[in-house]
Amino acid sequence: MRYIPNTDADCRQMLDAIGVRSVEDLFADIPAAVRLKRPLRIPPALSEADLAKVIGGLAAKNADVGRYSAFLGAGCYNHFSPAIIGHLISRGEFLTAYTPYQPEISQGTLQTMYEYQTLICQLTGMEVSNASMYEGASATAEAVLMAHRLTGRNEVVVARSVHPEYRQVTHTYAQQINLSFKEVPFTSAGAADPRKAKELLSDKTACLVVQNPNFFGVVEDLTEMAATARAVGALLVVAVPEPVSLGILKPPGECGADIVAGEGQALGVPMSYGGPYLGFFATREKYIRQMPGRLVGATEDREGRTGYVLTLATREQHIRREKATSNICTSEALIATIATIYMETLGKNGLREVALQNLRKASYAKEKLARVKGGNLRFSGPTFNEFVLQVKKKPADVLKGLLKKQIIGGLELGRFYPELKDCLLVCVTEQNSREEIDALAKAMGGGR
Amino acid sequence: MSGPTIGTRGLILNEPLIFEQGSPGRVGYSLPAADVPEKKADKLIPPKLLRDDIPGFPEVSEVDVIRHFTRMSQWNYGIDLGFYPLGSCTMKYNPRLNEDMARLPGFARAHPYQPEEVSQGALQLLWELEQYLAEICGMDRVSLQPSAGAHGELLGIMLIRAYHTSKGSPRKKIIIPDSAHGTNPASSAVCGYQVIPVKSGSRGVVEPQAVAEVMDEEVAGIMVTNPNTLGIFEDHIVEIARIVHGKGGQVYCDGANLNAFVGIARPGDMGIDVIQLNVHKTFSTPHGGGGPGAGPVAMKRHLAPFTPVPTVEKKGSRFTLNYNIPKSVGKVRSFYGSFGVLVRAYTYIRSMGPAGLRRAAEVSVINANYILSQLKGTYHLPYDRFCKHECVFDDAIQMHDNVKTLDIAKRLMDYGFHPPTIYFPLIVHGALMIEPTETESKETLDQFIAAMKAIAREAKENGDLVRGAPHYPRVSRMDETKAARQPNLRWRPKA
C-alpha cells in the first residue's frame, strides 16, 4: 500500500522492540465478542489509474457549468475564480497543516486568517469577524443563538424572504433550546414587509433576521429594519448568501446590523455540489465575548516581532467545554484562504466590477425574459443578480424543455414556496454571456 | 546541534500584510469585456442602498498575490514537510489523487440544485459512500450532512433528543467521561442538555460501576470516545451500553479515534447507537489549517427516522434525493454536506480497500506502541499499558529540572518536528499526546524518538536551551496574554 511505508519486516522489528509476538497482542483489549471476524464488505482496492477512471466516469455523469449554460443561484453562485487560487491552496504548507495551535510554525495560516478577518470587516462594514464558520446557513443559526445569549430573549422573527434552507437550519438549531419563531411575509416588491415586521417585533424578540439580497434577489432596506429592531431592543441579524453583491451594495454594518452571517462560496470557492463552503460571521466589538468560532489576533514574540495567534479562546469549547459560545472546532480555514486570495486578487476595483457585471447582466436578462411569451416579473423591487420570473407553463416543464438544450434554467420556487409555484428563480452572473442569455430567452419562447 | 536534528534555517522572507502593499489602480484580475448595456448602478438600485467604495480593500497585482501567499506558506509546518504527531488529530498523509478527483469539473463545477437527472454521478458517489461508512461502522444509515466532527456530534445529540422526544420527553442529562474532547460537553449544551461527568478509573477507562451510579431515566445518553483520548480502548463498552440501554438511554460514540480499529471491530457491534466520523482524520482528507472537514453520522435503524433531509436513495438504477422524512430533525447545514471532502474520503476508501483499511489501523497501533516502548523511562507514562493509535506521556520527570510540557513541545520544533498535542487530555497533568499514524516510516519514528531523548538530556544539562525554544522558526514564543488583553483582530489604516 503506497500510503503505508512500513513493510512487514519493519513491523516485525517494531513488534520485537515493543516486546509482543504479533500485532494481535496489541488489540487484545478489544473483546473477542465484538471483533469483526470477516473482511469489511467494501470494494477491493483499486490502483491509482483504475480508480481515476471509475471516479472520472462518475464525474462525467454530472452536468457542469462548463458544458451547460446555467442560471441557477439560490445560495450557490457560478463566479469566475482566478487560476492562481487552485495553485496557492495546493501548497502543502496550507493544505496539510492543522489548526494553528502552535503559532511559531503556523504564521502563514495565522496571518492569512488575520487578513481574512480584516477583509470581511471591510466588506460587511462590521467591526470584528471570526476566522470562519462551516457555511452560510449554520452561521445564520449561530447568529440567532448568539442574539438569544446577548438579549436573554426567546423569540426569533425571521423574514420569509430568507433562504428557505437557512430558515430550516436555524429552526433545527433553535428548537433544541425551544426558541420560538415568527415569520415576516414579503410584499409585492418581493421585500420583507416592514409594517408586518414592526407588528411582530416586541420586547420578547431576540433578533430580526433578514437576508440581503434576499432569496428572491431583491435588495432590502436594511436601515429601516435595523431601526425597527432597535426600537424594541432586538438585534438585527443580516444573512448574506451572495457577498459579491457587497462590491456595490451598502454594507450591513453601515445600515445598523448587529450580526452579519453569510456564505463565502461566491468569493472564488467552487460550487462543488453544495460544499465545502465558508460561513463568514461578523459583529460589533462590544459583542465579541459572545461570538462563536476561532479568532486570530496580532501580538508580538519575545523579541518584539509582530506575529499572530489564536486568541480569546476562553469563549471556546476546548477551554470552556459546556459553557462555550459554540461547539464549533474545525471550521473552514482553507476555504477562507480561497476567499482571501479571491478578495485580494480582485481587490477594490475588481470586486466592484464583478458586482456591476452581475447587476447589468441580470438586468439585461430580466428585461429579456419579462418579454418572453407567458413570462412576467413576479416582484417589483430592485434586484442584484437574481430575480423571480412567473411563467404560464408549469415551471417543471419549462426547465425540462431547457435542459434538452443544455440549459439549466433556474430553480422551481414551488418546492419552497407553495404560493410561488408558478415561478422560477433565475440567476445571472458574469459567467453568463449575452449570447447565453439571448439563447435562454429564445428557448423560453422568444420575444413578444 | 547534531544527531537527530532535521530542522535547519533556510531562507525565509519577511512579508507585510497585504494592506500595506500595492498602489491605487494596480490590478490582479481580468474580467470579460462588457457585452450588455453598461447601465449605472443607481439607475437599477436606489442610491441609498449602494456604496461607492470598499475602504481599505487591497489593490495589488497577480505577482504580488502569488509572492504574498508563497512567502506566508513557508512560515507554516504541514504533513508534507514532516512528522506531525498531533494526538487525536490524526495527521496522516493526504493523498493527492483525492485532490484531483474532488476537482474534476463534473464535481467541482456542479450546482447543488441542478436537476437530479444530470447529477447521477454525484448522487451515486454519495449513496455508495453511505454504504461503505455504514459497513465500516456496523450501522444502518449514515447522514453525510455535517460539516466537521463537532457538527456531527451536534447532529448525533439532536438525533438522540428527537428520539427521546418522540417517546414523550427529551430527558435532561448527558453523561460524559472526564477524558472527553471539549466538543462533547459543548455539543450537549447546544442541545440544552446538562452534562454529568464521570471519572475514568485507574486503568484509564470508564468503569461500568461509575456509569451505573449516575444513570437514571433523566439521562438521555452517554458520549464515549473509543479508543479514548488516552489512546486506550474502552474495554467495558459492551457492559456500559447495557447499563445505559437498561434505563432507556442512548450510546453516542465520538468517532474521532475510529482510525485505530477500522476493519478490526465495529462500533455498531458494541452496542453503540450513533457515531460521527471525522473524515479529515480517519479517511485522510486534508485539514487545510483548520478545515474544511466532514463529519458523517452513522446510526442504528431506530434513529434513522430523525435523520436530516435529504437522504440519497436508490430506486432501480436511479439515485434520488429524498426530502420526505416526516420526523426529521430538519437540516444542520445547506444542501447535502461537504461534498468535495466526501469525494476525497470516497477516493481514499476505494484506494485502500478492506485489507488496506485494516492494515492502516494495525500499523497506526504498531507505530504508537513503538514510540511508547522507546520513550518509556525517558518520559513518564501515566497509564503504563499498551495503547491503540496514540500514547500519552507527561512532564513529571522533566519537571524535576523545571522543564515543562510546553518547553518540550517548543523545542521539538527546532528538531524539525511538529509538537504532539499538549495539555490534553485534561486528566493527565502536563500531557504530551503523541499520534504517529500509519503513514510514517520506522526511520521517521526513530528520528523523532532520538529528538525526544535529546530534549530529555537537554532538560537535565541545559534547561534554558529548552525553556527558550523554539530557536529556529521565524518567530519565537508569542505573547498570548497581550493578544487576549488588548485584542487586535483586524488591520486598520494608521491614523
Side-chain angles (χ1 to χ4, degrees):
Chain A
M1 201 330 114
R2 65 188 186 283
Y3 307 147
I4 305 177
N6 284 332
T7 62
D8 287 345
D10 294 328
C11 290
R12 184 67 263 156
Q13 271 188 47
M14 292 162 75
L15 290 167
D16 288 344
I18 296 164
V20 292
R21 272 218 301 253
S22 80
V23 64
E24 274 304 301
D25 296 342
L26 299 176
F27 286 94
D29 50 357
I30 302 186
V34 300
R35 295 287 202 97
L36 187 64
K37 289 161 193 86
R38 56 167 176 81
L40 286 170
R41 292 185 182 120
I42 59 173
L46 285 179
S47 71
E48 181 163 342
D50 289 337
L51 185 53
K53 263 186 220 160
V54 169
I55 297 178
L58 288 177
K61 287 185 188 174
N62 301 326
D64 71 73
V65 293
R67 294 190 297 125
Y68 282 71
S69 151
F71 296 91
L72 267 177
C76 167
Y77 299 91
N78 174 26
H79 287 300
F80 166 74
S81 183
I84 58 171
I85 290 179
H87 290 276
L88 287 172
I89 62 146
S90 299
R91 291 190 64 94
E93 300 92 330
F94 285 128
L95 184 74
T96 74
Y98 199 75
T99 304
Y101 294 132
Q102 298 290 343
E104 298 88 343
I105 51 174
S106 311
Q107 285 296 306
T109 295
L110 286 162
Q111 184 170 324
T112 301
M113 291 304 105
Y114 183 81
E115 292 186 2
Y116 165 82
Q117 290 173 185
T118 304
L119 292 161
I120 291 296
C121 289
Q122 293 166 344
L123 194 63
T124 58
M126 301 300 285
E127 291 167 348
V128 287
S129 156
N130 72 13
S132 76
M133 308 290 285
Y134 302 132
E135 45 76 64
S138 54
T140 304
E142 291 263 20
V144 166
L145 298 186
M146 179 172 151
H148 157 70
R149 289 193 299 272
L150 281 168
T151 59
R153 300 176 181 183
N154 293 323
E155 216 172 81
V156 183
V157 178
V158 186
R160 188 161 168 76
S161 48
V162 170
H163 194 306
E165 293 201 2
Y166 286 40
R167 281 186 281 135
Q168 196 174 9
V169 172
T170 300
H171 190 257
T172 300
Y173 272 70
Q175 75 184 5
Q176 307 301 322
I177 50 170
N178 302 317
L179 303 187
S180 68
F181 281 82
K182 285 181 176 168
E183 197 172 85
V184 182
F186 50 84
T187 63
S188 60
D193 188 331
R195 269 193 317 195
K196 287 279 166 51
K198 204 169 272 178
E199 278 170 36
L200 293 171
L201 281 154
S202 73
D203 58 3
K204 294 191 181 69
T205 313
C207 60
L208 168 64
V209 187
V210 295
Q211 174 176 321
N212 199 41
N214 73 22
F215 190 65
F216 309 128
V218 173
V219 182
E220 300 270 8
D221 188 344
L222 298 177
T223 307
E224 188 176 3
M225 292 294 171
T228 305
R230 203 176 306 118
V232 295
L235 303 185
L236 178 68
V237 173
V238 179
V240 183
E242 174 39 308
V244 164
S245 66
L246 291 173
I248 53 170
L249 293 186
K250 184 176 274 192
E254 274 182 37
C255 304
D258 295 291
I259 307 172
V260 178
E263 173 53 69
Q265 180 274 330
L267 302 171
V269 181
M271 298 195 291
S272 202
Y273 203 58
Y277 290 168
L278 161 68
F280 62 85
F281 195 104
T283 187
R284 302 188 176 283
E285 210 148 8
K286 62 181 173 187
Y287 299 143
I288 200 166
R289 302 275 160 185
Q290 282 301 332
M291 195 176 198
R294 308 252 188 239
L295 283 168
V296 172
T299 183
E300 50 192 34
D301 74 358
R302 287 177 170 181
E303 282 75 42
R305 292 173 293 215
T306 298
Y308 304 89
V309 292
L310 291 174
T311 193
L312 300 177
T314 48
R315 300 164 299 114
E316 291 187 68
Q317 46 78 24
H318 62 281
I319 309 280
R320 294 279 281 170
R321 300 173 81 85
E322 65 266 33
K323 294 195 173 65
T325 54
S326 167
N327 74 329
I328 197 165
C329 180
T330 288
S331 50
E332 302 291 334
L334 196 70
I335 311 293
T337 304
I338 294 179
T340 306
I341 302 170
Y342 178 87
M343 288 188 273
E344 294 182 1
T345 305
L346 269 83
K348 201 188 261 272
N349 300 311
L351 199 68
R352 182 170 178 82
E353 198 177 324
V354 177
L356 278 172
Q357 284 206 11
N358 276 257
L359 176 69
R360 288 169 181 156
K361 291 198 180 213
S363 149
Y364 175 79
K366 209 167 148 180
E367 282 177 27
K368 274 253 159 187
L369 294 179
R371 288 201 300 264
V372 303
K373 247 177 266 161
N376 180 38
L377 295 176
R378 177 68 174 75
F379 298 120
S380 60
T383 54
F384 176 59
N385 66 0
E386 287 175 281
F387 55 90
V388 175
L389 185 74
Q390 202 169 24
V391 288
K392 275 260 155 57
K393 276 199 262 175
K394 264 177 71 181
D397 296 339
V398 174
L399 293 179
K400 250 180 222 155
L402 291 172
L403 195 59
K404 283 188 191 132
K405 298 185 166 130
Q406 301 275 107
I407 300 172
I408 299 172
L411 181 78
E412 269 187 82
L413 278 177
R415 69 183 278 186
F416 296 122
Y417 298 89
E419 68 273 36
L420 299 175
K421 65 177 189 305
D422 56 349
C423 291
L424 289 171
L425 180 65
V426 179
C427 174
V428 184
T429 73
E430 78 285 359
Q431 298 277 67
N432 300 108
S433 65
R434 178 180 188 149
E435 229 172 20
E436 273 182 54
I437 300 168
D438 292 345
L440 171 69
K442 195 173 164 214
M444 288 186 75
R448 188 156 52 192
Chain B
M1 281 182 286
S2 61
T5 311
I6 62 168
T8 67
R9 284 183 212 239
L11 179 61
I12 295 287
L13 303 174
N14 282 322
E15 176 64 14
L17 290 167
I18 201 80
F19 309 105
E20 295 162 356
Q21 304 185 43
S23 67
R26 192 173 286 175
V27 289
Y29 65 93
S30 79
L31 289 167
D35 58 359
V36 298
E38 294 193 54
K39 288 190 184 163
K40 288 235 157 44
D42 57 12
K43 297 280 176 272
L44 298 167
I45 295 174
K48 66 170 182 173
L49 305 180
L50 295 171
R51 83 194 306 175
D52 299 325
D53 184 31
I54 313 174
F57 243 49
E59 292 179 84
V60 292
S61 73
E62 180 168 325
V63 188
D64 295 332
V65 177
I66 283 277
R67 292 225 173 107
H68 182 59
F69 285 93
T70 304
R71 287 176 181 177
M72 290 198 296
S73 76
Q74 293 186 318
W75 308 338
N76 262 10
Y77 193 92
I79 309 161
D80 283 6
L81 273 171
F83 189 46
Y84 213 124
L86 206 54
S88 223
C89 301
T90 315
M91 295 298 280
K92 59 169 78 175
Y93 168 66
N94 309 130
R96 288 314 195 270
L97 176 65
N98 304 0
E99 298 303 307
D100 285 1
M101 295 301 98
R103 290 177 192 189
L104 290 168
F107 295 144
R109 306 194 70 196
H111 191 288
Y113 285 152
Q114 67 190 32
E116 282 177 12
E117 56 193 290
V118 290
S119 307
Q120 287 295 302
L123 293 173
Q124 182 178 340
L125 183 141
L126 292 174
W127 187 85
E128 287 179 358
L129 180 61
E130 180 182 348
Q131 313 306 308
Y132 303 161
L133 296 179
E135 163 67 7
I136 287 166
C137 294
M139 295 285 185
D140 299 308
R141 286 303 303 249
V142 181
S143 171
L144 300 173
Q145 201 174 108
S147 308
H151 206 208
E153 284 177 27
L154 178 60
L155 173 59
I157 300 300
M158 284 177 181
L159 294 173
I160 290 174
R161 193 171 185 276
Y163 169 81
H164 285 301
T165 304
S166 77
K167 302 217 170 270
S169 159
R171 301 192 172 198
K172 291 187 176 141
K173 302 181 281 191
I174 298 275
I175 300 173
I176 300 180
D178 54 2
S179 57
H181 297 116
T183 48
N184 289 185
S187 299
S188 302
V190 173
C191 290
Y193 284 116
Q194 183 196 342
V195 173
I196 306 295
V198 283
K199 279 196 168 24
S200 313
S202 57
R203 295 169 57 249
V205 295
V206 179
E207 298 296 335
Q209 186 52 37
V211 175
E213 277 165 19
V214 289
M215 186 65 211
D216 60 31
E217 267 141 31
E218 292 212 315
V219 172
I222 187 169
M223 290 183 99
V224 188
T225 307
N226 204 10
N228 65 26
T229 58
L230 294 165
I232 300 173
F233 192 83
E234 292 285 352
D235 51 1
H236 297 302
I237 184 69
V238 175
E239 174 66 9
I240 290 168
R242 214 183 52 219
I243 292 166
V244 173
H245 287 151
K247 304 263 183 191
Q250 293 287 292
V251 182
Y252 183 95
C253 180
D254 179 336
N257 296 339
L258 179 76
N259 54 308
F261 63 98
V262 171
I264 292 163
R266 305 190 306 170
D269 300 334
M270 301 170 189
I272 287 159
D273 300 293
V274 52
I275 180 172
Q276 105 282 348
L277 311 174
N278 302 53
V279 304
H280 46 297
K281 297 181 181 177
T282 303
F283 301 106
S284 83
T285 74
H287 276 84
V297 170
M299 66 196 85
K300 286 280 175 62
R301 193 162 284 116
H302 63 278
L303 294 175
F306 310 102
T307 201
V309 290
T311 54
V312 182
E313 308 292 345
K314 189 178 182 188
K315 287 184 181 150
S317 60
R318 305 245 327 146
F319 297 90
T320 175
L321 291 165
N322 176 28
Y323 285 88
N324 183 21
I325 304 173
K327 291 190 200 163
S328 167
V329 294
K331 284 182 78 59
V332 290
R333 59 160 291 159
S334 56
F335 310 117
Y336 325 116
S338 289
F339 178 76
V341 178
L342 299 171
V343 172
R344 291 168 173 89
Y346 177 93
T347 308
Y348 175 75
I349 291 171
R350 299 211 58 180
S351 297
M352 300 293 281
L357 287 178
R358 185 185 166 110
R359 174 87 180 158
E362 288 175 352
V363 176
S364 75
V365 170
I366 294 174
N367 283 359
N369 279 285
Y370 180 65
I371 289 178
L372 185 148
S373 72
Q374 301 305 297
L375 290 180
K376 192 171 147 178
T378 308
Y379 290 89
H380 176 246
L381 194 58
Y383 296 89
D384 185 2
R385 48 182 292 189
F386 290 136
C387 61
K388 288 276 118 7
H389 62 300
E390 63 195 2
C391 55
V392 177
F393 289 95
D394 65 34
D395 57 5
I397 297 174
Q398 285 67 36
M399 278 302 282
H400 293 305
D401 297 301
N402 202 22
V403 166
K404 56 186 188 298
T405 284
L406 186 70
D407 305 319
I408 297 162
K410 299 299 183 192
R411 183 64 178 148
L412 268 170
M413 296 175 189
D414 289 332
Y415 282 90
F417 299 106
H418 194 283
T421 294
I422 53 175
Y423 300 107
F424 186 83
L426 305 176
I427 54 173
V428 174
H429 184 81
L432 281 151
M433 185 195 211
I434 303 169
E435 178 175 12
T437 83
E438 73 283 2
T439 63
E440 299 300 332
S441 67
K442 178 172 176 296
E443 299 90 282
T444 301
L445 305 184
D446 285 335
Q447 282 169 347
F448 173 76
I449 290 159
M452 287 291 283
K453 288 185 171 169
I455 293 169
R457 275 195 305 277
E458 289 169 354
K460 278 201 176 68
E461 295 160 7
N462 187 2
D464 284 340
L465 181 68
V466 186
R467 284 183 291 269
H471 305 284
Y472 277 11
R474 187 176 152 271
V475 291
S476 58
R477 288 190 206 185
M478 289 285 159
D479 188 344
E480 303 201 11
T481 312
K482 180 183 172 189
R485 291 225 175 115
Q486 305 158 40
N488 170 350
L489 307 173
R490 60 176 291 194
W491 173 87
R492 285 182 197 273
K494 288 190 179 76

